[in-house]
C-alpha cells in the first residue's frame, strides 16, 4: 500500500523538480523504499520498513545486488505454513469439535498474507480462499502494527481477525529462509484428525458391494465407432395379412454399442400415423419374441450366495459363478449377420435388407471383403393414375369457383388456381410496365363506329384485358372505359362443359390481328414501343416478330433477283440508297403476294429503318428558346451584346463558347442547360468560336420572329397511304440496300 500524500515532503527521485512537486507514490510502495540502498528517514525520523528489511534480509539481497528494492529481491518468494482451526460443533452429539485445515501464505515482497482452505470432496462447507491477500494487523492492543516474517514460526498460535490458527508445520523453503534470517524453528507439531472424517471413514469400511462387478471393457469399441452408423433400406411385405401392405423401412445399426433402430418411410397421404420409430434403439434378438422370463433370470452375471455360518462375527460374501450354470443365453444381431438379401426377424416380422448407403458398402468391403452389393428392388409398382372427371359448369359464378366446389367439401375461393410466380415476375416494376398496349379500330358496325379508336391493354401478370377509348380534341366525351380489366374468353366455345374455357393470350394480339372482345370485333393496327420490343425479345412465343422466319418466307417468294433490284432502283430515283417507308411497304407486299402480315412487315421495317437525326433543326431550337424567353419576358439582348464587345479585346466579333455560356449564366438567361448547349453547338465554328452578334440576334424574339412549333400527338397522326391507319413506329426511311443484301445476297453496283 502506498503512503498517503504528505504536503511538502517527497521521496521521489525525479530530477529537475523540488520536493514540494515530486510525487512520493513512486518513492514508496507498501511502506518499502524502492531503492533499499538509500538511507532516508521516515516520518518523525524513524527508519522505514524497507530499511529494516534491508538489514533483516541482507543475506538474500546480496544475491541480486545491495541496491535492489525489496519487491525485486523477494519477487515470487512465498512462505507456506500448514495450520488448522478447532471449531465447536453443536449440531450433532457424536462429536464436540471439528478440525479445518488451512494454508497460510506469506509474501516476502510486500508482507501480505493470504489464507486458503484446501477443498475436501463432499465436505458440505464453502472452501477455497478464506482470507484474501493483504496486510493483516496484529491483534489489539497492537493493531497499529502489521504482521512481519518474525511473527511466524512452527508450532505456535497466530490470530487473524479474532480467529486462532495453530501452525504445525511448513515447507522446506520456509524452513531454510527462517533459518537464514536467524529465526530459531520450533519442532513441528502433530495435526489432529477430524472426528467427522474418522466417522465417515468407518462407515465406508463397513459398506460392501451387494453385487460384485465383472470387468467389461466397452470403451474401446465406443471410441473407435462412435457416430458411425450402418444404414440399410428394408422392406416388410405384410400384404398377405388382412388389410396389410408393403412397408418401406430404414434400419440403422450403431457400431458403437451394437444396437439397432428402425424408422418407417411413409408415403404422402398414406393414412398412417407418423410415428418417430418403428423400433426404438436397442439390441435386437435373433429369435424373438423369446417369451417371458422370471425376474433376475436374464442377467449379465451369475452370483453365488456364500453363507458364513453361526460364528460370533458372521461374514457374508458374494462370489461370481465363472461357469455361469443356469444362465439364459440370448443371441443378438451383429454387423456380420446383416447383408443385402438377408431376411432378419424383427420381433416376429420378416424384414428383407434390400439396399444400403455408400458408407455401409465401404465398411463391409474393408472389414469382410464383400464386393457384391447388388440392390433388390423394393419399391412398389406405381398404380395406374385414375383420371378425375368433373361435372360440367353450372353457370353460377365463375368456372374456377365452380371447379373448387367439386374439389373439396368446403367451397373455397379460386385463389390457389392463380399463378403467383407469374404475377410476381410479370407485374410492373420500375420502368417495366408489364402491359402490352395496342391501338385498334372497332369494325363491328362500320358506319356507326367510323373513326373510333381504342386502346387495348393486355396485362402480362394475370392475362387480363382492358379496353379504353381515348378522347378526341374538341370532343365532349372524356377518356371512356369500354371494357374493365378482366379475362376475355375466345369465341365459339361451349358454355356448359367440364373443361375450363380458353382465354385470349398475348400471342393472339399483334398488328393486323382481328380480336373478338365479347362480340365486338377489333382490328389491331399499331402498338407502342415497349410492346414491339417485348415481342421481338420473346420471338419464340411471337413468331411474327422473329426476323429470321420472316426473311425465310420472303426468300421463298422470289425467283429472279435482277427484277427485284430494278424495282427498288426505279423507286429510288435520287440514288439516296434509302426509300420512303410507304413505298418500301408496297414493294415488299407485292413481292410477298399477300403472304405477309402487317406485324411481319413492321418487324422488317424496324430492323432496316434509317435512324433519325437525334439533333433537331436549328430553327426548332430557336423557336423553343423564343417560347421560353417570351414566358419570362427577357429582353436584355443589347446589354449582352455590349458585354460581349467589351470582352472582345481583339475586335474579331467572336468569343469562345465557354465565355458566351458564362455571359448567359451571369445575365440569368431563362434557358435550360440542355437547350443552351444545343444552341451553342449549332452556332460554333471549327475553332469553337461563336459570332456573338448573330447568336444573340437570333435569340432576340422581338426582331427575329420564328413560327410557333406545334407538337404532334402520335395517336392523331394520319397517313392516307395506309388507309387511315397511323404509322405503327416512328420511321421515315428504309435502308433497302441492306435489306437486299441480307435476303437475296445482292451487292451494290
Amino acid at each position: 500500500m502506498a503512503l498517503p500524500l504528505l504536503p511538502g515532503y517527497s521521496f521521489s527521485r525525479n530530477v529537475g523538480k523540488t520536493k514540494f512537486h515530486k510525487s512520493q507514490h513512486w518513492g514508496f510502495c507498501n511502506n518499502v523504499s524502492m531503492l533499499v540502498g538509500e538511507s532516508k528517514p521516515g516520518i518523525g525520523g524513524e527508519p522505514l520498513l524497507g530499511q529494516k528489511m534491508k538489514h533483516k534480509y541482507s543475506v538474500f539481497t546480496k544475491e541480486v545486488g545491495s541496491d535492489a528494492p525489496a519487491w525485486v529481491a523477494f519477487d515470487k518468494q512465498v512462505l507456506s505454513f500448514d495450520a488448522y482451526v478447532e471449531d465447536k460443533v453443536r449440531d450433532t452429539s457424536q462429536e464436540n469439535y471439528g478440525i479445518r485445515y488451512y494454508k497460510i501464505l506469506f509474501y516476502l515482497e510486500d508482507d501480505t498474507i493470504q489464507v486458503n482452505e484446501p477443498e475436501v470432496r463432499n465436505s458440505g462447507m464453502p472452501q477455497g480462499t478464506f482470507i484474501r491477500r493483504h496486510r493483516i494487523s496484529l491483534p489489539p492492543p497492537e493493531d497499529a502494527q502489521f504482521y512481519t516474517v518474525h511473527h511466524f514460526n512452527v508450532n505456535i498460535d497466530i490470530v487473524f481477525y479474532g480467529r486462532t490458527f495453530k501452525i504445525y508445520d511448513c515447507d522446506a523453503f520456509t524452513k531454510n529462509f527462517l533459518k537464514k534470517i536467524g529465526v530459531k524453528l520450533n519442532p513441528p507439531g502433530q495435526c489432529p484428525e477430524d472426528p467427522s472424517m474418522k466417522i465417515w471413514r468407518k462407515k465406508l469400511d463397513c459398506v460392501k458391494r451387494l453385487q460384485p462387478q465383472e470387468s467389461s471393457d466397452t470403451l474401446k469399441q465406443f471410441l473407435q465407432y462412435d457416430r458411425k452408423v450402418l444404414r440399410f433400406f428394408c422392406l416388410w411385405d405384410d400384404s398377405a395379412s388382412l388389410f396389410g401392405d408393403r412397408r418401406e423401412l430404414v434400419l440403422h445399426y450403431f457400431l458403437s454399442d451394437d444396437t439397432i433402430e428402425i424408422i418407417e418411410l411413409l408415403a404422402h397421404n398414406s393414412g398412417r400415423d407418423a410415428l418417430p420409430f418403428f423400433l426404438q434403439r436397442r439390441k435386437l434378438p435373433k429369435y424373438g419374441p423369446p417369451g417371458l422370463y422370471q425376474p433376475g433370470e436374464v442377467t449379465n452375471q451369475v452370483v453365488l450366495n456364500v453363507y458364513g455360518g453361526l460364528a460370533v462375527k458372521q461374514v457374508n460374501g458374494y462370489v461370481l459363478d465363472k461357469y455361469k450354470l443356469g444362465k439364459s443365453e440370448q443371441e443378438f444381431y451383429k454387423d456380420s449377420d446383416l447383408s443385402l438379401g438377408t431376411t432378419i426377424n424383427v420381433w416376429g416380422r420378416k424384414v428383407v435388407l434390400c439396399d444400403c448407403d455408400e458408407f455401409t458398402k465401404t465398411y463391409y468391403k474393408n472389414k469382410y471383403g464383400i464386393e457384391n452389393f447388388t440392390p433388390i428392388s423394393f419399391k412398389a409398382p406405381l398404380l395406374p393414375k385414375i383420371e378425375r372427371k368433373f361435372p360440367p359448369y353450372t353457370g353460377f359464378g365463375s368456372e374456377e369457383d365452380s371447379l373448387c366446389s367439386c374439389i373439396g367439401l368446403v367451397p373455397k375461393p379460386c385463389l390457389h388456381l392463380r399463378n403467383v410466380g407469374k404475377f410476381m415476375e410479370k407485374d410492373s416494376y420500375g420502368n417495366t410496365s408489364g402491359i402490352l398496349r395496342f391501338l385498334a379500330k372497332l369494325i363491328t358496325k362500320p358506319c356507326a363506329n367510323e373513326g373510333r379508336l381504342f386502346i387495348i391493354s393486355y396485362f402480362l401478370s394475370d392475362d387480363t384485358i382492358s379496353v379504353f377509348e381515348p378522347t378526341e380534341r374538341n370532343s365532349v366525351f372524356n377518356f371512356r372505359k369500354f371494357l374493365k380489366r378482366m379475362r376475355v374468353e375466345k369465341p365459339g366455345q361451349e358454355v356448359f362443359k367440364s373443361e375450363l374455357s380458353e382465354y385470349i393470350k398475348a400471342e393472339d394480339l399483334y398488328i393486323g390481328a382481328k380480336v373478338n372482345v365479347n362480340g365486338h370485333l377489333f382490328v389491331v393496327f399499331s402498338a407502342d414501343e415497349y410492346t414491339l420490343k417485348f415481342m421481338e425479345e420473346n420471338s419464340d412465343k411471337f413468331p411474327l416478330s422473329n426476323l429470321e422466319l420472316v426473311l425465310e418466307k420472303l426468300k421463298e417468294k422470289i425467283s429472279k433477283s435482277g427484277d427485284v433490284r430494278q424495282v427498288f432502283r426505279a423507286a429510288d430515283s435520287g440514288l439516296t440508297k434509302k426509300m420512303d417507308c410507304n413505298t418500301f411497304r408496297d414493294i415488299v407486299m407485292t413481292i410477298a403476294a399477300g403472304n405477309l402480315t402487317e406485324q411481319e412487315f413492321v418487324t422488317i421495317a424496324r430492323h432496316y429503318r434509317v435512324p433519325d437525326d437525334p439533333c433537331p433543326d436549328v430553327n426548332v431550337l430557336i423557336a423553343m428558346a423564343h417560347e421560353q424567353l417570351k414566358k419570362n419576358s427577357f429582353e436584355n439582348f443589347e446589354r449582352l451584346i455590349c458585354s460581349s464587345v467589351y470582352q472582345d479585346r481583339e475586335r474579331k466579333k467572336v468569343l469562345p463558347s465557354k465565355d458566351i455560356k458564362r455571359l448567359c449564366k451571369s445575365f440569368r438567361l431563362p434557358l435550360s442547360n440542355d437547350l443552351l448547349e444545343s444552341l451553342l453547338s449549332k452556332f460554333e465554328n471549327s475553332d469553337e468560336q461563336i459570332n456573338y452578334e448573330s447568336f444573340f440576334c437570333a435569340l432576340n424574339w422581338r426582331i427575329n420572329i420564328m413560327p410557333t412549333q406545334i407538337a404532334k400527338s402520335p395517336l392523331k397522326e394520319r397517313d392516307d397511304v395506309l388507309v387511315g391507319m397511323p404509322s405503327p413506329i416512328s420511321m421515315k426511311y428504309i435502308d433497302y440496300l441492306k435489306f437486299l443484301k441480307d435476303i437475296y445476297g445482292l451487292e451494290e453496283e
Side-chain angles (χ1 to χ4, degrees):
M1 297 176 62
L3 289 175
L5 180 63
L6 301 178
Y9 202 89
S10 175
F11 298 95
S12 178
R13 299 187 63 192
N14 297 332
V15 181
K17 295 183 179 180
T18 63
K19 62 182 180 179
F20 299 100
H21 300 88
K22 297 177 182 178
S23 172
Q24 66 185 40
H25 176 74
W26 299 102
F28 292 89
C29 182
N30 297 323
N31 284 348
V32 180
S33 176
M34 293 177 63
L35 298 179
V36 183
E38 295 184 359
S39 178
K40 296 183 180 180
I43 301 175
E46 294 294 332
L48 298 173
L49 178 60
Q51 300 175 12
K52 297 178 182 179
M53 292 176 64
K54 170 186 175 182
H55 301 290
K56 293 178 182 179
Y57 309 152
S58 59
V59 177
F60 293 93
T61 55
K62 289 179 181 179
E63 298 178 3
V64 295
S66 59
D67 295 337
W71 61 272
V72 174
F74 305 108
D75 185 27
K76 298 182 180 180
Q77 297 185 9
V78 184
L79 304 183
S80 177
F81 299 92
D82 298 327
Y84 67 91
V85 175
E86 293 184 2
D87 290 339
K88 293 182 179 181
V89 179
R90 300 182 179 88
D91 299 338
T92 178
S93 60
Q94 298 180 359
E95 53 192 41
N96 298 326
Y97 67 94
I99 302 297
R100 301 184 66 174
Y101 306 100
Y102 294 93
K103 205 65 124 165
I104 301 176
L105 304 177
F106 183 86
Y107 295 86
L108 296 173
E109 56 181 347
D110 53 1
D111 290 352
T112 56
I113 300 173
Q114 182 178 355
V115 180
N116 298 331
E117 183 179 5
E119 295 184 2
V120 180
R121 187 178 181 183
N122 297 328
S123 65
M125 294 180 294
Q127 296 170 335
T129 302
F130 187 73
I131 300 176
R132 63 178 179 83
R133 178 181 174 181
H134 66 287
R135 297 190 68 192
I136 302 177
S137 59
L138 296 174
E142 299 178 352
D143 52 353
Q145 301 180 8
F146 297 93
Y147 277 103
T148 62
V149 69
H150 294 281
H151 293 95
F152 289 86
N153 205 333
V154 180
N155 207 0
I156 63 171
D157 295 345
I158 192 166
V159 180
F160 294 152
Y161 298 111
R163 200 172 180 85
T164 303
F165 294 83
K166 296 182 179 181
I167 302 176
Y168 64 90
D169 202 357
C170 62
D171 60 356
F173 172 78
T174 304
K175 293 179 181 179
N176 185 25
F177 184 85
L178 293 177
K179 288 179 181 179
K180 286 188 177 182
I181 64 175
V183 177
K184 185 177 181 181
L185 289 176
N186 299 329
Q190 295 293 331
C191 178
E193 187 178 3
D194 188 8
S196 61
M197 296 299 298
K198 186 185 298 184
I199 296 172
W200 179 252
R201 192 174 293 108
K202 289 182 180 179
K203 290 182 179 180
L204 292 178
D205 294 339
C206 295
V207 175
K208 294 183 179 179
R209 293 181 179 178
L210 298 179
Q211 182 178 354
Q213 299 292 331
E214 194 177 54
S215 61
S216 177
D217 185 14
T218 59
L219 181 61
K220 180 180 179 181
Q221 181 182 359
F222 175 78
L223 296 177
Q224 183 178 2
Y225 295 109
D226 185 28
R227 298 177 183 272
K228 295 182 179 180
V229 183
L230 305 180
R231 183 171 63 169
F232 292 90
F233 300 97
C234 315
L235 175 65
W236 174 37
D237 192 357
D238 191 33
S239 57
S241 61
L242 184 63
F243 304 114
D245 55 357
R246 298 164 61 94
R247 311 279 285 274
E248 297 180 9
L249 308 174
V250 176
L251 184 145
H252 293 156
Y253 185 89
F254 296 87
L255 296 173
S256 60
D257 54 358
D258 299 327
T259 56
I260 291 178
E261 171 189 270
I262 300 178
I263 302 174
E264 183 178 5
L265 299 178
L266 295 178
H268 185 62
N269 294 331
S270 63
R272 298 186 179 274
D273 295 334
L275 299 178
F277 299 103
F278 185 81
L279 176 68
Q280 288 187 346
R281 181 177 176 180
R282 62 180 65 186
K283 288 190 175 182
L284 182 63
K286 289 185 179 180
Y287 309 103
L292 298 178
Y293 294 98
Q294 297 296 327
E297 187 176 356
V298 178
T299 179
N300 295 330
Q301 299 144 353
V302 178
V303 183
L304 300 178
N305 189 4
V306 179
Y307 180 65
L310 299 175
V312 177
K313 187 177 181 182
Q314 186 175 0
V315 178
N316 296 328
Y318 300 91
V319 179
L320 291 177
D321 184 9
K322 64 178 181 180
Y323 297 105
K324 299 180 180 181
L325 299 177
K327 181 183 178 182
S328 299
E329 296 290 341
Q330 195 173 11
E331 296 184 18
F332 298 95
Y333 279 104
K334 300 291 184 181
D335 57 346
S336 58
D337 301 325
L338 305 178
S339 61
L340 298 185
T342 304
T343 302
I344 62 175
N345 182 12
V346 182
W347 297 100
R349 297 166 178 84
K350 303 302 180 181
V351 177
V352 182
L353 306 183
C354 301
D355 199 359
C356 60
D357 59 358
E358 292 298 329
F359 172 77
T360 307
K361 295 178 182 178
T362 306
Y363 174 80
Y364 279 96
K365 183 178 180 180
N366 296 335
K367 187 174 182 179
Y368 298 104
I370 299 176
E371 298 288 345
N372 186 14
F373 296 99
T374 304
I376 301 174
S377 177
F378 62 97
K379 295 291 184 180
L382 297 177
L383 298 176
K385 188 176 181 181
I386 302 175
E387 184 179 359
R388 189 173 184 180
K389 296 182 179 181
F390 297 100
Y393 174 54
T394 59
F396 296 96
S398 63
E399 294 182 353
E400 290 79 6
D401 291 335
S402 179
L403 180 62
C404 290
S405 64
C406 300
I407 295 176
L409 295 177
V410 180
K412 296 181 180 179
C414 59
L415 296 177
H416 69 283
L417 298 178
R418 297 180 181 177
N419 193 342
V420 181
K422 179 180 179 181
F423 178 81
M424 298 298 294
E425 180 184 0
K426 301 295 184 180
D427 194 23
S428 60
Y429 177 77
N431 296 328
T432 304
S433 64
I435 304 174
L436 305 182
R437 293 182 176 89
F438 300 90
L439 192 62
K441 181 186 295 185
L442 184 61
I443 60 174
T444 303
K445 295 180 181 180
C447 298
N449 301 315
E450 185 177 1
R452 296 182 64 183
L453 301 179
F454 295 87
I455 296 177
I456 301 177
S457 300
Y458 184 89
F459 297 85
L460 297 171
S461 58
D462 54 358
D463 300 329
T464 56
I465 294 176
S466 66
V467 182
F468 288 88
E469 184 178 5
T471 57
E472 296 283 348
R473 178 173 292 183
N474 298 328
S475 175
V476 296
F477 300 102
N478 295 327
F479 201 71
R480 292 169 292 181
K481 182 190 296 184
F482 185 84
L483 177 68
K484 69 176 184 179
R485 182 176 176 180
M486 60 183 298
R487 291 193 299 170
V488 179
E489 295 183 5
K490 293 183 178 180
Q493 301 185 70
E494 186 180 354
V495 178
F496 303 102
K497 59 184 181 301
S498 301
E499 299 81 10
L500 295 177
S501 300
E502 295 183 3
Y503 297 90
I504 296 178
K505 301 295 183 180
E507 294 80 1
D508 301 328
L509 299 176
Y510 54 89
I511 299 176
K514 293 183 179 181
V515 185
N516 191 329
V517 180
N518 297 336
H520 300 275
L521 193 60
F522 292 88
V523 175
V524 180
F525 60 87
S526 181
D528 60 359
E529 184 68 19
Y530 171 78
T531 303
L532 295 174
K533 285 185 178 180
F534 180 83
M535 296 171 72
E536 292 172 357
E537 292 173 359
N538 300 273
S539 58
D540 53 338
K541 297 182 179 180
F542 301 92
L544 298 181
S545 297
N546 193 335
L547 182 63
E548 296 180 359
L549 297 180
V550 176
L551 296 181
E552 288 294 334
K553 184 185 295 187
L554 285 177
K555 289 180 181 179
E556 296 175 357
K557 294 295 180 180
I558 190 66
S559 59
K560 298 181 180 180
S561 59
D563 298 339
V564 175
R565 183 171 50 192
Q566 293 177 3
V567 171
F568 279 97
R569 178 172 297 179
D572 185 16
S573 58
L575 300 179
T576 59
K577 299 181 182 180
K578 58 184 179 179
M579 185 179 297
D580 183 70
C581 180
N582 298 328
T583 307
F584 179 78
R585 177 182 179 277
D586 295 338
I587 297 175
V588 171
M589 287 298 182
T590 303
I591 295 174
N595 199 21
L596 196 69
T597 62
E598 291 292 339
Q599 179 67 41
E600 292 174 329
F601 168 73
V602 170
T603 304
I604 297 174
R606 284 174 55 83
H607 183 75
Y608 294 102
R609 62 180 172 180
V610 177
D612 298 334
D613 188 8
C615 298
D617 188 23
V618 63
N619 296 328
V620 178
L621 295 175
I622 294 175
M624 295 171 61
H626 284 184
E627 184 178 357
Q628 297 294 328
L629 295 173
K630 287 179 182 179
K631 289 182 180 180
N632 294 274
S633 301
F634 185 84
E635 299 181 359
N636 295 332
F637 299 103
E638 295 183 359
R639 294 184 57 190
L640 280 170
I641 295 175
C642 292
S643 299
S644 302
V645 171
Y646 176 77
Q647 293 188 10
D648 186 13
R649 305 294 184 180
E650 300 179 358
R651 297 295 185 268
K652 294 182 178 180
K653 296 185 179 182
V654 291
L655 287 175
S657 300
K658 59 180 181 179
D659 294 342
I660 299 294
K661 184 177 180 181
R662 181 174 49 80
L663 281 174
C664 295
K665 293 294 183 181
S666 61
F667 277 85
R668 297 183 179 180
L669 195 67
L671 298 178
S672 61
N673 291 331
D674 296 338
L675 181 58
L676 183 59
E677 291 286 350
S678 301
L679 286 170
L680 292 175
S681 62
K682 292 294 183 180
F683 283 87
E684 279 183 353
N685 56 13
S686 59
D687 298 333
E688 296 183 357
Q689 302 283 335
I690 296 177
N691 189 333
Y692 48 84
E693 291 185 356
S694 60
F695 178 73
F696 290 117
C697 288
L699 293 181
N700 193 343
W701 52 276
R702 290 287 187 183
I703 302 174
N704 186 17
I705 300 176
M706 298 291 294
T708 305
Q709 299 292 328
I710 301 176
K712 296 183 180 180
S713 175
L715 291 179
K716 305 308 173 188
E717 182 182 357
R718 291 293 187 270
D719 192 347
D720 297 335
V721 181
L722 295 180
V723 196
M725 298 182 181
S727 177
I729 53 176
S730 57
M731 56 185 177
K732 295 182 179 180
Y733 300 101
I734 305 297
D735 188 358
Y736 67 91
L737 290 179
K738 184 178 179 182
F739 169 76
L740 294 176
K741 180 180 178 181
D742 292 345
I743 297 183
Y744 311 113
L746 299 179
E747 298 290 343
E748 181 183 2
E749 294 183 359

